[in-house]
């Protein structure tokens, strides 16, 4: 009997131990299951967060693409506006250059004609004194007009070196002719001059020289119109001021009007 009891107690102990081991393993399995469930929950949360971030990144990329397209459109629009502005500026500069070139050549031509007419009037003894005064007044007005035109033309455009040289040459010849005309008019008032006098010949020769200088000036102006004003050298810009000072004649009439085209034309009826 003792052997059976011992065996029974041993079997009972083994069974208890087996139940304990099974319970402990069950508890471990339950713990691992809970950890696995928590890990799966974290993975799901990370997955949802990743998907949300991916959607935000896709939206940001789409927004960046839209902004880049808008910026590119703005760049193209600005480039087109800049090209139009440059074209308008080029056309405006060319138009202004043509206007000042026409004004300069027209004024120079009128100065040549007016000075030759004044020389003819001074040498013609049959011309009435009041017509001589009208011609002299008209000559002074044309000189004033030439002075204003050449200064503004050189200041508002970019003249070439050749054009500056021709302006200086034309102005120098006109200075000499202006002195001859002054002496010739004073001599005509006292009737002490004729066509054969050296003074008259010198004035006529200087007048022809002024006409030749005008032709060279007109040719230089025509050549300068084919030159792009934006490509002029910086030395040309610096030389404009000196040319403008050299091209300023001594105005016979201090405050003469801009154009006095009515003086000699109205006075022709006063010839004897």
């Amino acid at each position: 009997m003792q052997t059976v009891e011992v065996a029974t107690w041993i079997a009972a102990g083994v069974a208890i131990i087996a139940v304990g081991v099974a319970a402990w393993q069950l508890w471990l399995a339950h713990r691992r299951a809970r950890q696995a469930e928590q890990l799966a929950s974290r993975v799901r949360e990370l997955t949802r967060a990743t998907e949300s971030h991916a959607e935000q990144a896709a939206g940001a990329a789409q927004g960046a693409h839209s902004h880049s397209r808008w910026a590119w459109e703005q760049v193209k629009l600005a480039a087109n506006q800049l090209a139009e502005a440059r074209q308008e500026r080029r056309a405006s500069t060319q138009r202004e250059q043509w206007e000042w070139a026409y004004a300069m050549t027209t004024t120079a031509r009128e100065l040549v004609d007016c000075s030759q007419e004044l020389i003819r009037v001074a040498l013609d003894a049959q011309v009435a004194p009041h017509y001589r005064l009208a011609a002299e007044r008209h000559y002074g007005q044309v000189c004033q007009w030439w002075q204003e035109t050449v200064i503004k033309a050189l200041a508002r455009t970019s003249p070439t070196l050749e054009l500056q040289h021709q302006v200086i040459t034309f102005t120098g010849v006109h200075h000499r002719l202006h002195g001859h005309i002054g002496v010739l008019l004073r001599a005509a008032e006292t009737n002490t001059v004729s066509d054969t006098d050296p003074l008259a010949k010198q004035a006529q020769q200087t007048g022809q020289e002024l006409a030749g200088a005008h032709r060279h000036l007109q040719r230089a102006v025509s050549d300068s119109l084919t030159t792009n004003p934006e490509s002029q050298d910086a030395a040309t810009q610096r030389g404009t001021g000196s040319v403008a000072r050299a091209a300023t004649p001594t105005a016979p009439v201090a405050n003469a009007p801009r154009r006095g085209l009515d003086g000699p034309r109205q006075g022709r009826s006063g010839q004897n």
Side-chain angles (χ1 to χ4, degrees):
M1 289 295 295
Q2 294 180 351
T3 304
V4 175
E5 291 178 0
V6 172
T8 302
W9 281 107
I10 291 173
V14 172
I16 292 172
I17 293 172
V19 171
V21 172
W24 179 70
Q25 291 180 352
L26 179 61
W27 179 78
L28 289 178
H30 180 69
R31 181 180 178 183
R32 290 175 182 173
R34 290 181 61 185
Q35 292 178 352
E37 184 179 358
Q38 293 177 356
L39 182 60
S41 177
R42 292 180 182 178
V43 169
R44 286 193 298 270
E45 292 178 357
L46 292 176
T47 302
R48 287 194 295 267
T50 303
E51 292 177 353
S52 177
H53 291 165
E55 292 178 357
Q56 294 178 359
Q62 185 176 2
H65 181 67
S66 300
H67 285 299
S68 64
R69 291 183 59 185
W70 177 82
W72 176 245
E73 294 295 334
Q74 294 298 319
V75 169
K76 291 194 296 183
L77 179 61
N80 294 335
Q81 292 177 350
L82 180 60
E84 292 177 359
R86 287 179 177 176
Q87 186 175 3
E88 292 178 359
R89 179 178 180 274
R90 190 179 302 109
S92 176
T93 302
Q94 186 177 7
R95 181 171 59 253
E96 185 177 10
Q97 189 178 20
W98 274 90
E99 291 174 355
W100 284 113
Y102 175 78
M104 183 183 297
T105 54
T106 303
T107 310
R109 177 73 265 177
E110 188 167 355
L111 184 61
V112 172
D113 296 340
C114 185
S115 60
Q116 292 180 351
E117 176 68 12
L118 188 58
I119 294 173
R120 185 193 67 79
V121 169
L123 296 178
D124 191 354
Q126 302 299 323
V127 174
H130 71 274
Y131 179 76
R132 186 182 299 113
L133 291 177
E136 184 178 1
R137 187 183 307 110
H138 175 59
Y139 170 75
Q141 293 171 347
V142 175
C143 288
Q144 184 72 20
W145 185 30
W146 161 255
Q147 174 181 347
E148 295 175 356
T149 302
V150 71
I151 291 177
K152 292 180 180 179
L154 294 176
R156 298 182 182 182
T157 60
S158 300
T160 60
L161 295 177
E162 177 62 22
L163 179 57
Q164 296 180 33
H165 174 70
Q166 294 302 329
V167 170
I168 293 176
T169 302
F170 182 86
T171 305
V173 176
H174 173 249
H175 272 247
R176 289 191 284 109
L177 180 61
H178 179 71
H180 297 332
I181 289 177
V183 178
L184 192 63
L185 289 175
R186 303 292 81 80
E189 292 177 356
T190 59
N191 295 325
T192 58
V193 65
S194 62
D195 295 340
T196 59
D197 290 341
L199 177 61
K201 292 182 178 180
Q202 190 174 9
Q204 291 173 349
Q205 291 176 357
T206 309
Q208 296 298 325
E209 185 179 355
L210 184 65
H214 171 261
R215 288 192 296 270
H216 292 296
L217 174 63
Q218 190 172 12
R219 188 180 301 111
V221 169
S222 300
D223 294 339
S224 68
L225 293 178
T226 60
T227 304
N228 186 3
E230 297 180 355
S231 62
Q232 297 295 330
D233 189 75
T236 305
Q237 301 290 344
R238 293 192 297 269
T240 304
S242 60
V243 176
R245 291 191 295 270
T248 306
T250 304
V253 182
N255 295 319
R258 180 176 177 84
R259 296 189 67 177
L261 302 182
D262 299 333
R265 295 176 182 174
Q266 295 177 355
R268 293 183 186 271
S269 60
Q271 296 185 16
N272 293 333

